[in-house]
Amino acid sequence: MWSKSNSLVIAFVTVAALLVGAFAVHAVDAPLKQIGEMCTNAATGMPGGFQRMFEALGLSFGNDFDLWTAFAIVVVGLVVYVAGADAAPLLVMGSLAVFFTLTLREDFLTRYLTLAAMMFSIGLYGMTTSRNAVRVLMCIELMLNAVNINMVAFSRYIDPSELRGQVFAVFILTVAAAEAAVGLAIVLAIYRTSASVNMEKFNLLKW
């Protein structure tokens, strides 16, 4: 059944895609430069000035187009969320849009590290908030794969003559496979007796 939340999510995805596309073809550069000049002129006439705040933060309308585009995507997402959209699809699509925005003009190492950071953050969030044992195991696997991406990326771009990162990645994959096998075996054994994978009900080991 179609709802207001679905319409708002589609509207957000459309706006985010337009912003990312405009950033990709450098269509937002000129407007941001004009806004930066206006803000700079306005800040110079104020005591204390916002210009000092931007300089202290290392931000500039004239250079940090990716940050301001990502900020615009976040603002649009918050507005749509307040209007009644579901938070989960907004978080997923907004994260993807921000990822593409922040890495589109960066080197490949930065792209890999940003992707790994996003994967690790998603896994950490799912592991700490979910009470489903299977979902927790999946989030742990996601975090381990994020570490693997970091290992291989650093090995490829920092020390390409050696294979240390790839070797560590193979060890991590081996440990992750063993962890998943043992974890799923324990979950299945508990499910047979309790008919639930909710971790709040896993009290069979208590005296």
Side-chain angles (χ1 to χ4, degrees), residues 11-137:
F12 169 72
V13 171
T14 303
V15 174
L18 290 174
L19 287 173
V20 174
F23 174 76
V25 298
H26 300 271
V28 298
D29 295 1
L32 282 177
K33 284 184 179 179
Q34 294 178 357
I35 296 174
E37 292 176 357
M38 294 171 56
C39 292
T40 302
N41 295 333
T44 53
M46 295 181 180
F50 289 102
Q51 188 177 8
R52 295 180 181 176
M53 180 182 68
F54 285 122
E55 291 177 353
L57 294 174
L59 301 177
S60 172
F61 276 102
N63 299 319
D64 300 319
F65 303 125
D66 51 353
L67 292 179
W68 295 114
T69 306
F71 178 73
I73 294 173
V74 172
V75 170
V76 173
L78 290 175
V79 171
V80 174
Y81 174 72
V82 172
D86 190 12
L90 288 180
L91 184 62
V92 173
M93 301 308 299
S95 299
L96 289 175
V98 171
F99 168 72
F100 282 117
T101 302
L102 294 179
T103 60
L104 198 58
R105 301 183 186 179
E106 300 294 335
D107 58 282
F108 283 101
L109 179 59
T110 303
R111 296 180 185 181
Y112 287 126
L113 296 182
T114 307
L115 175 62
M118 287 183 59
M119 289 177 57
F120 191 87
S121 301
I122 294 172
L124 183 63
Y125 174 79
M127 186 187 68
T128 55
T129 59
S130 177
R131 297 294 90 193
N132 188 298
V134 178
R135 192 178 297 127
V136 169
L137 288 175

